[in-house]
Amino acid sequence: MTFLDGNVGLILQGFWLTIQLLVLSGICSIVLGTLLAAARVSPVPLLRGAAVVYVSIFRNTPLLVVFIFVFIAGPRLGLNYPFLVKGVLAMTLYTSAFVAEALRSGINSVPVGQAEAARSIGLTFGQCMREVVMPQALRAVIPPMASVLIAMAKNTSVAAAFGLAEATATMRGLTNNNANERLMIFLVFALGYIVIVELMSFAANRLERRWRVA
Amino acid sequence: MSLVLFDQPGPRARARQRVFNVLALVLVAGLLALIVWRLHDRGQLEYRLWEPFVTPAYIQAILVDGLLKTLQAAGTSIVLAVVFGLLFGVGKLSDHAWVRWPSWAVVEFFRAVPLLLLITFVFFTFGVGDGFGPYWSLVVGLTLYNGSVLAEIFRAGILAVPAGQGEAASALGMRKTQVMTLVLLPQAVKIMLPSLISQCVVALKDTSLGAYILAPGLTFIGRSVYTEFQNQVPTAIVLAALYIAVNLVLTAVATWAQRRYVGEKSLVVPMVGDGASGLAPAGQRSI
C-alpha cells in the first residue's frame, strides 16, 4: 500500500470533485428533467413533441458523445466555459432525459381509478393532483429516480476522459506511477464509488419506507 | 390525452391553449434558428468540414472500422454477458450459501463500480504491452458490468415465473437442475427478453467508453476524423446520429418483443446496493 504515501490527499481531492459533479449535476438534472416531464404531459402539443424529441435524442446518445459535444465541439461554436461547468452541463443534458422518463413512469404508475375516484367525489383538478395523484406519484418515483441518480454517480467517471481530475482520472494517474500495485489502487477507488452508491441507495430506501402508505 | 383529470376544455381554455401553442412554437423555432445561425456564423456549415462524410473512403472507414467494430464489441460482450449473467443469476438463487454469497458479492461489486474505472483497470493491468490490447479490455469490462446487470435481470425473470410451475415440476420428480433448465428458464427468457434487448442498447452506448483506452470503434474513428479535418462539430453530429439510429432500431425491437411475448407486465429488478426492496421497473432502461 505504498501508493498511499503522500497520495491520500490526491485521492480525496479526486473524490471531492466526483461528489461536486454528482451533486451539481444531480440538482440541475432534476430541475431540467422535471421541466421536460411537465412539457411531456402538457396540453400543448408542440411542447409535448419537443420534449419527446429531446428525450429520445439524449437517451440514445452515449454520454461520451454528449461530452464530445460540450468539450470539443462547443468551443468551436464559441461556447467555452470552465471545466467543472462543462462537466455539469454534459451530465445534465444527458441525465435530465432519464429523470424525465423516471418521473413520467412514476406518474403513470398511479392507477387511473385513483384520479377517477377523486374527480367523482367532486375534487377539482388542482385538489385531485395535490391531494391524490402527486403524493402517490412521488412515492412511486423514488426507486426509478434513485436508479437514475446512482447511474449518474457512476457516469461522472466519464469526465475523466475530458481532463477533469476526478476519481477515475486520479486512479489512472496513480496506476501509471505505481504499476505494481494496480489491484490495490483499483480496489481503493472501487470502494470509494461503492460507498457513494450504497449511501445513495440507503437514503432512497429510507425515503421510500418513510413515505410508504401504511 | 386522458380526460380523467380535467373537464373538456371550454372556449376560454381552448383560447389559452392556442396562445401557449403559439408561444411554444416561437420558443422551439427560436431555439432551432439560434442553433442553425450559430453553426452558420462560426462557419460550421461549410462544405469543407462536411466533406469527409460524403467521401467514400471515409464513409467506409467510419462504417467498417467504426460502426462495425462498435457493433462487434457490443455483440461479443453481450453474448459473453448472457453466459456470465446466467451463471451468477442462477447462482444468486442457489440453495447453497457458499454459491449464493460469492455470486451476490460479484454481482453487487461489478454493478456498483463505474464501467470506465473497470475498463481502465483491466486495460492497464492485462491489456497493455504483451496483454490482450484495448479492444478486449473493453469487451472484458463490458462483459463484467453487463453480465452483472443481466444476472439481476435473470434472477428477477426466474422469480417472476409463477411459483406453482417450479413446485409442479418438483412434484413430478424432476431434479433441481431439471426444474431450472426445463421449466423455469424457458419461461423466464420470455419475460426478460425486452430487458435483455434494452441492455444491448446500454452496451452499445457504453462501447464509446473504449475511446478512453484507445479501443477501436465509432468514437475512436470520430476522434481521428476531427483531428485530421478540424471539423469537431460535424463529426459530433454524425457520431450522435449513427448511435441514435442504431439504438432506435434496437429500442423498436425491444418494444415489439415486449408486446409480442410479455404484454403489460413489467419485470422488477432491484437497484444497485439493495437486495430486497427498492424495486425499479426494468422496462424503464437504466443508464
Side-chain angles (χ1 to χ4, degrees), chain A residues 44-48 50, chain B residues 15-31:
Chain A
V44 186
L46 202 74
L47 276 183
R48 241 175 10 237
Chain B
R16 204 166 49 225
Q17 278 180 12
R18 265 200 300 279
V19 172
F20 276 117
N21 235 338
V22 171
L23 279 181
L25 181 70
V26 171
L27 190 79
V28 173
L31 217 60

Short mmCIF file of all heavy atoms in Angstrom, two decimals, chain A residues 44-48 50, chain B residues 15-31:
data_model
loop_
_atom_site.label_atom_id
_atom_site.label_comp_id
_atom_site.label_asym_id
_atom_site.label_seq_id
_atom_site.Cartn_x
_atom_site.Cartn_y
_atom_site.Cartn_z
N VAL A 44 -50.07 21.28 -24.47
CA VAL A 44 -49.58 21.97 -25.66
C VAL A 44 -48.82 20.97 -26.53
O VAL A 44 -47.75 20.51 -26.16
CB VAL A 44 -48.64 23.13 -25.26
CG1 VAL A 44 -48.24 23.93 -26.48
CG2 VAL A 44 -49.31 24.01 -24.23
N PRO A 45 -49.40 20.59 -27.69
CA PRO A 45 -48.81 19.51 -28.50
C PRO A 45 -47.35 19.76 -28.86
O PRO A 45 -46.54 18.84 -28.85
CB PRO A 45 -49.68 19.50 -29.75
CG PRO A 45 -50.93 20.19 -29.38
CD PRO A 45 -50.59 21.15 -28.29
N LEU A 46 -47.02 21.00 -29.17
CA LEU A 46 -45.67 21.29 -29.64
C LEU A 46 -44.64 21.05 -28.53
O LEU A 46 -43.58 20.48 -28.76
CB LEU A 46 -45.60 22.74 -30.11
CG LEU A 46 -44.44 22.97 -31.06
CD1 LEU A 46 -44.75 22.38 -32.41
CD2 LEU A 46 -44.13 24.44 -31.16
N LEU A 47 -44.97 21.48 -27.30
CA LEU A 47 -44.08 21.25 -26.17
C LEU A 47 -43.91 19.76 -25.95
O LEU A 47 -42.82 19.27 -25.68
CB LEU A 47 -44.65 21.88 -24.91
CG LEU A 47 -44.38 23.37 -24.70
CD1 LEU A 47 -44.96 23.81 -23.37
CD2 LEU A 47 -42.91 23.66 -24.74
N ARG A 48 -45.06 19.03 -26.06
CA ARG A 48 -45.01 17.59 -25.89
C ARG A 48 -44.04 16.97 -26.90
O ARG A 48 -43.15 16.20 -26.54
CB ARG A 48 -46.41 17.01 -26.09
CG ARG A 48 -46.89 16.32 -24.87
CD ARG A 48 -48.29 15.81 -24.88
NE ARG A 48 -49.04 15.79 -26.09
CZ ARG A 48 -50.20 16.41 -26.24
NH1 ARG A 48 -50.69 17.13 -25.25
NH2 ARG A 48 -50.86 16.31 -27.35
N ALA A 50 -41.59 18.43 -28.57
CA ALA A 50 -40.21 18.85 -28.34
C ALA A 50 -39.58 18.03 -27.23
O ALA A 50 -38.43 17.59 -27.33
CB ALA A 50 -40.16 20.34 -28.00
N ALA B 15 -58.78 28.87 -26.02
CA ALA B 15 -58.07 30.07 -26.45
C ALA B 15 -56.72 30.14 -25.76
O ALA B 15 -55.69 30.43 -26.37
CB ALA B 15 -58.90 31.31 -26.13
N ARG B 16 -56.72 29.81 -24.46
CA ARG B 16 -55.47 29.85 -23.71
C ARG B 16 -54.48 28.83 -24.27
O ARG B 16 -53.31 29.11 -24.43
CB ARG B 16 -55.77 29.55 -22.23
CG ARG B 16 -54.72 30.11 -21.30
CD ARG B 16 -55.19 30.11 -19.88
NE ARG B 16 -55.76 28.84 -19.49
CZ ARG B 16 -56.88 28.70 -18.80
NH1 ARG B 16 -57.57 29.76 -18.45
NH2 ARG B 16 -57.33 27.51 -18.45
N GLN B 17 -55.00 27.66 -24.61
CA GLN B 17 -54.12 26.63 -25.16
C GLN B 17 -53.51 27.08 -26.49
O GLN B 17 -52.36 26.80 -26.77
CB GLN B 17 -54.88 25.33 -25.35
CG GLN B 17 -54.99 24.54 -24.07
CD GLN B 17 -55.73 23.24 -24.24
OE1 GLN B 17 -55.98 22.81 -25.36
NE2 GLN B 17 -56.08 22.62 -23.14
N ARG B 18 -54.35 27.81 -27.28
CA ARG B 18 -53.82 28.30 -28.55
C ARG B 18 -52.67 29.26 -28.32
O ARG B 18 -51.65 29.20 -28.99
CB ARG B 18 -54.95 28.98 -29.36
CG ARG B 18 -55.63 28.06 -30.36
CD ARG B 18 -56.36 28.86 -31.43
NE ARG B 18 -57.40 29.71 -30.88
CZ ARG B 18 -58.63 29.29 -30.55
NH1 ARG B 18 -58.94 28.02 -30.73
NH2 ARG B 18 -59.52 30.11 -30.07
N VAL B 19 -52.84 30.14 -27.32
CA VAL B 19 -51.78 31.10 -27.01
C VAL B 19 -50.50 30.36 -26.63
O VAL B 19 -49.41 30.65 -27.12
CB VAL B 19 -52.22 32.04 -25.87
CG1 VAL B 19 -51.04 32.90 -25.42
CG2 VAL B 19 -53.37 32.91 -26.31
N PHE B 20 -50.65 29.35 -25.77
CA PHE B 20 -49.47 28.60 -25.34
C PHE B 20 -48.83 27.88 -26.51
O PHE B 20 -47.62 27.77 -26.60
CB PHE B 20 -49.85 27.60 -24.24
CG PHE B 20 -49.88 28.21 -22.88
CD1 PHE B 20 -51.05 28.28 -22.15
CD2 PHE B 20 -48.72 28.76 -22.35
CE1 PHE B 20 -51.07 28.86 -20.89
CE2 PHE B 20 -48.73 29.34 -21.09
CZ PHE B 20 -49.90 29.39 -20.37
N ASN B 21 -49.68 27.37 -27.41
CA ASN B 21 -49.16 26.68 -28.58
C ASN B 21 -48.28 27.60 -29.40
O ASN B 21 -47.20 27.24 -29.83
CB ASN B 21 -50.33 26.18 -29.42
CG ASN B 21 -50.21 24.68 -29.68
OD1 ASN B 21 -49.11 24.14 -29.59
ND2 ASN B 21 -51.30 24.05 -29.98
N VAL B 22 -48.77 28.84 -29.60
CA VAL B 22 -48.01 29.81 -30.39
C VAL B 22 -46.72 30.15 -29.67
O VAL B 22 -45.64 30.17 -30.26
CB VAL B 22 -48.86 31.08 -30.64
CG1 VAL B 22 -48.00 32.17 -31.26
CG2 VAL B 22 -50.04 30.76 -31.53
N LEU B 23 -46.81 30.37 -28.33
CA LEU B 23 -45.61 30.67 -27.55
C LEU B 23 -44.59 29.55 -27.67
O LEU B 23 -43.40 29.79 -27.88
CB LEU B 23 -45.98 30.86 -26.08
CG LEU B 23 -46.55 32.23 -25.70
CD1 LEU B 23 -46.85 32.28 -24.21
CD2 LEU B 23 -45.56 33.32 -26.07
N ALA B 24 -45.09 28.30 -27.57
CA ALA B 24 -44.18 27.15 -27.67
C ALA B 24 -43.54 27.09 -29.04
O ALA B 24 -42.35 26.81 -29.18
CB ALA B 24 -44.94 25.85 -27.38
N LEU B 25 -44.35 27.40 -30.06
CA LEU B 25 -43.82 27.39 -31.43
C LEU B 25 -42.69 28.40 -31.56
O LEU B 25 -41.61 28.09 -32.08
CB LEU B 25 -44.95 27.72 -32.42
CG LEU B 25 -44.56 27.72 -33.89
CD1 LEU B 25 -44.28 26.30 -34.34
CD2 LEU B 25 -45.64 28.36 -34.75
N VAL B 26 -42.94 29.61 -31.04
CA VAL B 26 -41.91 30.65 -31.10
C VAL B 26 -40.65 30.19 -30.37
O VAL B 26 -39.52 30.32 -30.87
CB VAL B 26 -42.45 31.97 -30.48
CG1 VAL B 26 -41.32 32.99 -30.34
CG2 VAL B 26 -43.56 32.52 -31.34
N LEU B 27 -40.85 29.60 -29.20
CA LEU B 27 -39.74 29.15 -28.38
C LEU B 27 -38.90 28.10 -29.11
O LEU B 27 -37.67 28.23 -29.26
CB LEU B 27 -40.27 28.57 -27.07
CG LEU B 27 -39.24 28.26 -25.99
CD1 LEU B 27 -38.84 29.54 -25.28
CD2 LEU B 27 -39.80 27.26 -25.00
N VAL B 28 -39.57 27.05 -29.59
CA VAL B 28 -38.85 25.95 -30.24
C VAL B 28 -38.20 26.42 -31.54
O VAL B 28 -37.03 26.14 -31.80
CB VAL B 28 -39.80 24.76 -30.49
CG1 VAL B 28 -39.11 23.69 -31.32
CG2 VAL B 28 -40.26 24.18 -29.18
N ALA B 29 -38.98 27.16 -32.35
CA ALA B 29 -38.43 27.64 -33.61
C ALA B 29 -37.25 28.57 -33.36
O ALA B 29 -36.23 28.51 -34.04
CB ALA B 29 -39.52 28.36 -34.42
N GLY B 30 -37.38 29.42 -32.33
CA GLY B 30 -36.29 30.34 -31.99
C GLY B 30 -35.04 29.58 -31.62
O GLY B 30 -33.93 29.91 -32.06
N LEU B 31 -35.22 28.54 -30.82
CA LEU B 31 -34.08 27.74 -30.37
C LEU B 31 -33.38 27.08 -31.56
O LEU B 31 -32.15 27.13 -31.69
CB LEU B 31 -34.57 26.67 -29.40
CG LEU B 31 -33.66 26.34 -28.23
CD1 LEU B 31 -33.42 27.57 -27.38
CD2 LEU B 31 -34.26 25.22 -27.40
#
